[in-house]
Amino acid sequence: MSMEYKFPEGFWWGSATSATQIEGAANEGGKGENIWDHWFQTEPNRFFENVGPETTSDFYHWYKTDIQLMKEIGHNSFRMSISWSRLIPGGRGEVNQEAVSFYNRVIDELIANDIEPFVNLFHFDMPLALQKEGGWENREVTDAFEVYAQEAFRLFGDRVKKWFTFNEPIVPVEGGYLYDFHYPNVVDGKRAAQVAYHTMIAHAKAVRAFRKSQAKDGTVGIILNLTPSYPRSQHPADLKAARIADLFFNRSFLDPAVLGYYPQELAELLREHGQLPETKQSDKALLESGKVDMLGVNYYQPRRVKAKEHMPNLHGPFMPDWFFDNYEMPGRKMNPYRGWEIYEKGMYDIMMNLKKNYHNIPSFISENGMGVQDEARFAVDGEIQDDYRIDFIQEHLKWLHQAIEEGCNAKGYHLWTFMDNWSWMNAYKNRYGFLSVDLDTQERTMKKSAHWFSVVSKNNGF
Ligand code: BGP
């Protein structure tokens, strides 16, 4: 087979997931409650078809089977997260030995199958006890996070060498403090800014702990969902709208994580509107020391914006959207199930931006994928013919390849996700996996894309 798109040697092929979305066993093995358990108990109707996080795809019991299947479909790496409330049920205090044993077994099983574990510490799942103390609004929670990170490096850092502090830290800010799609459903710009800021403080403290830990010969990174902001036109008003959207949604985390400081323009904008968070003098040095070795890039969709059509309501809560309107480009390609635009070249644009403005930091695609509803209708002889997913991955990989050709430092591609999993408010509405999961029997079945991926991984290209 002649190959057009050959990837650099040692390229990471695999997939990503998070603890709350696959483990299940939410009330088993000594796990403490997190905000998802709590929110589901109090408002089950917020979740698609009232499906909550208690069982999900039951990885807690199926991990051996799943890791075998990962190997079969060509994974050489896999990103998971540790559930903070499983490891330390109260958020701070005692470590749960059953959790230590579970994560040890998972990590050892991955390594025994030549799959490198990439481990993330926080994927939207604040322990409930700490949320009751104010969650990320409370600076003391950043100390609890540092201790949790220390414990994780101490327990697993002999074998795990790729660590990540946070996955998409902006999402709990948007969901929990601006747009009402995560607990605690606060709508308040200033509190959102405080949460965002403390998240980066917690991140920097975890990086500090990493540098002193037994894992320090590995790398520590962060995973960001980067959504390039494309202006409707080259009109100065549209350009300004795009620049401000980029400040709020990308540079708010990208700059401190990679460069070690916040963009001046963002701070000024917040100051002007009375939204600046509380900070400490010593934070400058702390943030500077929190620079990452490695950046995970989650890319699903671009953001298209235009100058605002109308004045914002200045008496309403402060919102990033005071400075731009979202723009629905005529003829854009859509994933109708998720309501997200598909724009493959965005992946290239992100990578070239990292090369140019972020000293070409080592990076990889840590999530990319396509959630589709009612996939069973595509089954032929029991196998879901997800050609749309194969196309989706392939078209993105072409652009990633192009960026690599042009010198960007991308080291791998992880699909979201290995097997169908629980997607927060959407629960099991849209399915993303290489494998489907029957929620009644927990049976896993490879989709067509799983077979395709095993070949791509084996050939290191297509
Ligand atoms: C990312 C998250 C994942 C995942 C994915 C798909 O933002 O890191 O946790 O769920 O998006 O999105 P969704 O589940 O909302 O369809």
Side-chain angles (χ1 to χ4, degrees), residues 29-307:
K31 181 177 156 294
E33 276 187 305
N34 65 30
I35 55 173
W36 295 96
D37 303 310
H38 174 74
W39 194 23
F40 181 67
Q41 277 157 29
T42 46
E43 279 191 284
N45 52 291
R46 290 280 205 137
F47 298 82
F48 184 72
E49 292 178 340
N50 295 319
V51 174
E54 69 275 51
T55 309
T56 66
S57 306
D58 203 22
F59 182 73
Y60 193 76
H61 296 110
W62 283 71
Y63 72 92
K64 273 200 174 188
T65 309
D66 291 334
I67 292 170
Q68 278 314 310
L69 290 164
M70 281 174 206
K71 188 187 169 74
E72 260 176 63
I73 70 167
H75 279 46
N76 59 23
S77 46
F78 172 64
R79 187 206 358 145
M80 53 188 262
S81 74
I82 293 176
S83 158
W84 185 353
S85 62
R86 186 180 293 288
L87 193 66
I88 305 177
R92 56 164 70 89
E94 208 152 319
V95 170
N96 169 18
Q97 290 311 318
E98 280 184 81
V100 175
S101 149
F102 169 64
Y103 291 118
N104 271 333
R105 282 179 278 127
V106 170
I107 289 164
D108 292 345
E109 188 74 15
L110 286 165
I111 293 171
N113 285 286
D114 300 315
I115 301 170
E116 184 175 2
F118 291 20
V119 176
N120 172 40
L121 293 171
F122 190 92
H123 199 125
F124 310 167
D125 50 355
M126 178 66 77
L128 186 60
L130 295 180
Q131 188 62 49
K132 286 187 175 156
E133 294 180 15
W136 295 122
E137 280 185 84
N138 176 357
R139 189 162 173 128
E140 284 170 17
V141 169
T142 69
D143 295 321
F145 185 73
E146 182 174 13
V147 174
Y148 158 53
Q150 252 161 13
E151 282 298 327
F153 303 145
R154 182 180 68 79
L155 291 162
F156 313 115
D158 55 334
R159 288 153 291 153
V160 175
K161 297 299 172 187
K162 302 267 191 323
W163 286 92
F164 300 90
T165 56
F166 283 85
N167 174 82
E168 301 191 352
I170 201 168
V171 169
V173 177
E174 296 176 282
Y177 295 86
L178 289 172
Y179 306 123
D180 188 28
F181 63 90
H182 277 202
Y183 192 79
N185 313 96
V186 170
V187 176
D188 187 312
K190 187 162 184 177
R191 291 172 69 183
Q194 191 69 62
V195 165
Y197 183 75
H198 279 164
T199 303
M200 278 317 292
I201 293 295
H203 158 84
K205 288 179 178 177
V207 169
R208 183 168 73 187
F210 176 86
R211 303 277 180 229
K212 292 187 206 142
S213 76
Q214 61 166 342
K216 65 172 182 282
D217 55 328
T219 58
V220 65
I222 193 166
I223 290 157
L224 301 179
N225 49 321
L226 299 179
T227 45
S229 297
Y230 297 105
R232 166 181 60 181
S233 76
Q234 294 302 303
H235 188 283
D238 284 345
L239 292 175
K240 184 174 177 197
R243 194 180 72 244
I244 295 182
D246 185 46
L247 275 174
F248 274 109
F249 294 106
N250 297 316
R251 298 186 58 196
S252 54
F253 284 92
L254 182 58
D255 284 29
V258 178
L259 306 175
Y261 53 85
Y262 280 96
Q264 194 61 34
E265 195 183 353
L266 178 60
E268 267 155 29
L269 212 58
L270 291 176
R271 180 175 306 119
E272 214 176 285
H273 290 86
Q275 306 293 316
L276 270 183
E278 278 175 37
T279 62
K280 278 190 181 176
Q281 262 302 243
S282 54
D283 287 352
K284 248 193 154 114
L286 180 60
L287 288 169
E288 163 72 25
S289 70
K291 284 188 284 184
V292 293
D293 308 323
M294 158 94 58
L295 185 69
V297 174
N298 293 356
Y299 176 63
Y300 291 90
Q301 54 165 344
R303 179 186 297 275
R304 297 191 189 275
V305 300
K306 60 183 181 185

Side-chain angles (χ1 to χ4, degrees), residues 17-18 21 79 123-124 167-168 171 223 225 298 300 338 340 367 371 416 421-427 430 432:
T17 190
S18 83
Q21 295 180 270
R79 187 206 358 145
H123 199 125
F124 310 167
N167 174 82
E168 301 191 352
V171 169
I223 290 157
N225 49 321
N298 293 356
Y300 291 90
R338 192 59 179 82
W340 286 346
E367 284 182 31
W416 186 269
N421 67 18
W422 185 79
S423 283
W424 318 111
M425 285 186 75
N426 277 331
N430 303 311
Y432 284 88

